[in-house]
Amino acid sequence: MSGHYLKKHPDKNGWYGEYGGAFLPPQLEQPFAEISEAYDRISLSADFQNELKYIRKHFQGRPTPIHYARNLSDSLAGARIYLKREDLNHTGAHKLNHCMAEALLARHMGKQRLIAETGAGQHGVALATAAAYFGLECEIHMGEVDIEKEHPNVVRMKLLGAKVVPVSFGGRTLKEAVDSAFQSYLKDPVTSIYAIGSVVGPHPFPKMVRDFQRIVGEEARAQFAEMTASDLPDHVAACVGGGSNAMGIFQGFIDEEEVTLHGVEPLGRGTKLGEHSATITYGSDGEIHGFRSLVLTNEDGQPAPVHSIASGLDYPGVGPEHAYLHKIGRVLYSAVSDQQTLDAFYKLSRLEGIIPALESAHAVAHAIRMAPEHPGESILINLSGRGDKDIDYVADNYGYNV
Ligand SMILES: *Cc1c(COP(=O)(O)O)cnc(C)c1O
């Protein structure tokens, strides 16, 4: 692949090869056209760029550091492992990067209300935070299963002033929350904006969210070069639910052929449909939530029930750009199980003093698996979030691993 990948993808209609696009009900065509137009015009303006720069530095606490995980690396006697610390971003995950930017765009467009879905609650908390910062209303749709599992994040959203709408149909997790949020948006697309939580949904969201996450890859590339003698890591790895944190860090390295990029999917409890959410590994071409991508489907063609120990990863679709990067072979995708994820969660906590989000622990597990086979090389992981939200769930169900 020759350089400038990001400039060439997507095309002007939001296609990454055969994936992406925008399949919208007629009443949303106009609002989405407006968002596209506003994004192209406003996001490139000096005003917008300067405001975003200010917010990232003085509100979010960027740049987040890179940490060399020396103890973990030594214990594996293989590749050196580095962590991009998105867990240190305000609210504890990478999601605030795109939420602050989406809310800033909403304010420039004169919108009054942000609507979104949330899985683990991280996107809901990030968006509620952005809404509070900008003085916007916020409505978050969340499956009842996740509400129970991620109680502290529900409390946070309410304290931040958001309205949390429980979703009680279907599997009562992320997929249904998306459906419910879309229904609400359909009723009021003029004063509201749907702030999608990953690089998914109809164009322009996969591109917008990708662009807003690029800061992670840009920082990581410069920091890695500063910290080590080599310019580039040999491997860059990130977990993939919808795929935003992965696209964030990949963007710093995508034009460099010598850097191997790894997307890590949740294998959950096993390979049977319903037991995992490894969409790229096991999915097939299809349409979900207004875009074409790889999708996990039932026999009847509907999105299948999915499972992951990490609520933020249990989605039966995946960002269209990941489906494309898989197809052209630029990114290698593999999956790790709930059990491997838990082992990595405990290991990173004990050896490095960093409790990772269960989502991020998937990427750590992949690095642990591959490190012994790559002595002398380096692996840079996007540690997408902190594990505070998961500690009770892990300790109650699996103990302290002593
Ligand atoms: C939401 C979330 C993810 C998954 O989302 P992507 O869009 O795939 O990045 C990963 N890690 C954390 C900590 C999250 O909160």
Side-chain angles (χ1 to χ4, degrees):
M1 194 190 320
S2 56
H4 306 298
Y5 168 88
L6 295 171
K7 283 210 179 87
K8 292 178 190 159
H9 303 87
D11 73 10
K12 69 178 189 341
N13 295 316
W15 290 93
Y16 307 83
E18 66 207 85
Y19 301 113
F23 301 90
L24 295 162
Q27 62 273 48
L28 283 186
E29 275 170 18
Q30 179 59 21
F32 267 72
E34 263 167 44
I35 294 170
S36 250
E37 184 279 323
Y39 176 65
D40 289 343
R41 182 169 42 85
I42 297 168
S43 73
L44 296 176
S45 71
D47 265 5
F48 185 93
Q49 291 292 333
N50 288 335
E51 276 175 281
L52 199 53
K53 216 181 260 176
Y54 182 94
I55 289 165
R56 283 173 173 166
K57 180 166 179 189
H58 299 289
F59 182 63
Q60 293 183 229
R62 302 201 69 88
T64 58
I66 277 189
H67 167 67
Y68 172 41
R70 185 185 303 275
N71 300 334
L72 178 64
S73 304
D74 287 353
S75 80
L76 298 165
R80 283 166 287 119
I81 297 174
Y82 297 82
L83 311 173
K84 174 62 171 165
R85 298 288 310 275
E86 286 304 292
D87 59 315
L88 295 177
N89 202 19
H90 179 43
T91 73
H94 70 288
K95 291 203 176 75
L96 197 65
N97 299 332
H98 61 248
C99 284
M100 292 306 290
E102 282 178 320
L104 181 61
L105 182 68
R107 211 200 48 192
H108 275 265
M109 292 177 72
K111 303 282 183 186
Q112 289 151 30
R113 190 162 67 130
L114 305 173
I115 298 177
E117 81 294 340
T118 195
Q122 294 296 95
H123 179 53
V125 169
L127 196 67
T129 301
Y133 181 98
F134 289 109
L136 299 165
E137 291 168 44
C138 188
E139 181 184 295
I140 304 293
H141 297 247
M142 189 171 187
E144 284 178 346
V145 170
D146 293 328
I147 286 182
E148 193 154 325
K149 193 164 155 194
E150 308 286 355
H151 180 70
N153 275 344
V154 177
V155 174
R156 284 185 191 103
M157 284 184 267
K158 289 181 178 169
L159 285 171
L160 291 161
K163 181 178 162 207
V164 179
V165 180
V167 178
S168 55
F169 57 88
R172 300 180 297 146
T173 62
L174 187 55
K175 187 212 153 265
E176 292 77 22
V178 176
D179 294 336
S180 172
F182 244 99
Q183 288 310 314
S184 176
Y185 178 51
L186 269 175
K187 284 180 205 145
D188 180 19
V190 176
T191 58
S192 300
I193 188 164
Y194 189 153
I196 292 179
S198 188
V199 286
V200 299
H203 180 68
F205 280 93
K207 177 182 190 309
M208 260 170 60
V209 172
R210 177 191 86 177
D211 293 351
F212 293 149
Q213 287 292 344
R214 183 158 65 233
I215 187 71
V216 176
E218 282 174 359
E219 284 177 9
R221 181 174 177 146
Q223 291 167 320
F224 185 87
E226 188 194 319
M227 180 181 273
T228 69
S230 46
D231 280 350
L232 294 167
D234 297 296
H235 305 270
V236 174
C239 66
V240 175
S244 64
N245 89 88
M247 279 318 303
I249 197 155
F250 289 172
Q251 285 175 88
F253 307 95
I254 199 148
D255 283 331
E256 311 298 340
E257 292 278 4
E258 66 265 45
V259 181
T260 308
L261 305 177
H262 303 258
V264 187
E265 295 199 295
L267 187 57
R269 294 182 288 246
T271 59
K272 211 170 126 238
L273 192 67
E275 298 291 306
H276 63 79
S277 329
T279 308
I280 293 182
T281 309
Y282 296 109
S284 47
D285 289 0
E287 202 185 304
I288 184 169
H289 295 135
F291 64 104
R292 266 189 76 76
S293 189
L294 289 165
V295 185
L296 291 167
T297 47
N298 276 330
E299 286 145 26
D300 59 4
Q302 290 305 303
V306 285
H307 162 81
S308 167
I309 192 170
S311 301
L313 301 180
D314 60 2
Y315 180 59
V318 68
E321 191 162 17
H322 285 287
Y324 174 68
L325 290 168
H326 169 66
K327 183 135 212 172
I328 65 171
R330 177 63 188 96
V331 179
L332 304 179
Y333 294 87
S334 59
V336 303
S337 67
D338 285 352
Q339 188 56 53
Q340 290 168 310
T341 299
L342 274 169
D343 292 345
F345 176 93
Y346 288 124
K347 222 173 214 166
L348 199 70
S349 302
R350 285 290 173 85
L351 291 175
E352 297 294 335
I354 297 169
I355 303 176
L358 285 170
E359 290 80 4
S360 324
H362 282 76
V364 178
H366 181 64
I368 290 174
R369 174 167 71 183
M370 45 175 285
E373 295 155 23
H374 296 271
E377 298 182 13
S378 54
I379 306 171
L380 172 63
I381 300 171
N382 195 5
L383 198 77
S384 54
R386 68 182 179 218
D388 300 40
K389 66 186 178 55
D390 299 314
I391 55 172
D392 290 335
Y393 176 79
V394 170
D396 291 351
N397 290 282
Y398 304 98
Y400 294 91
N401 196 37
V402 285

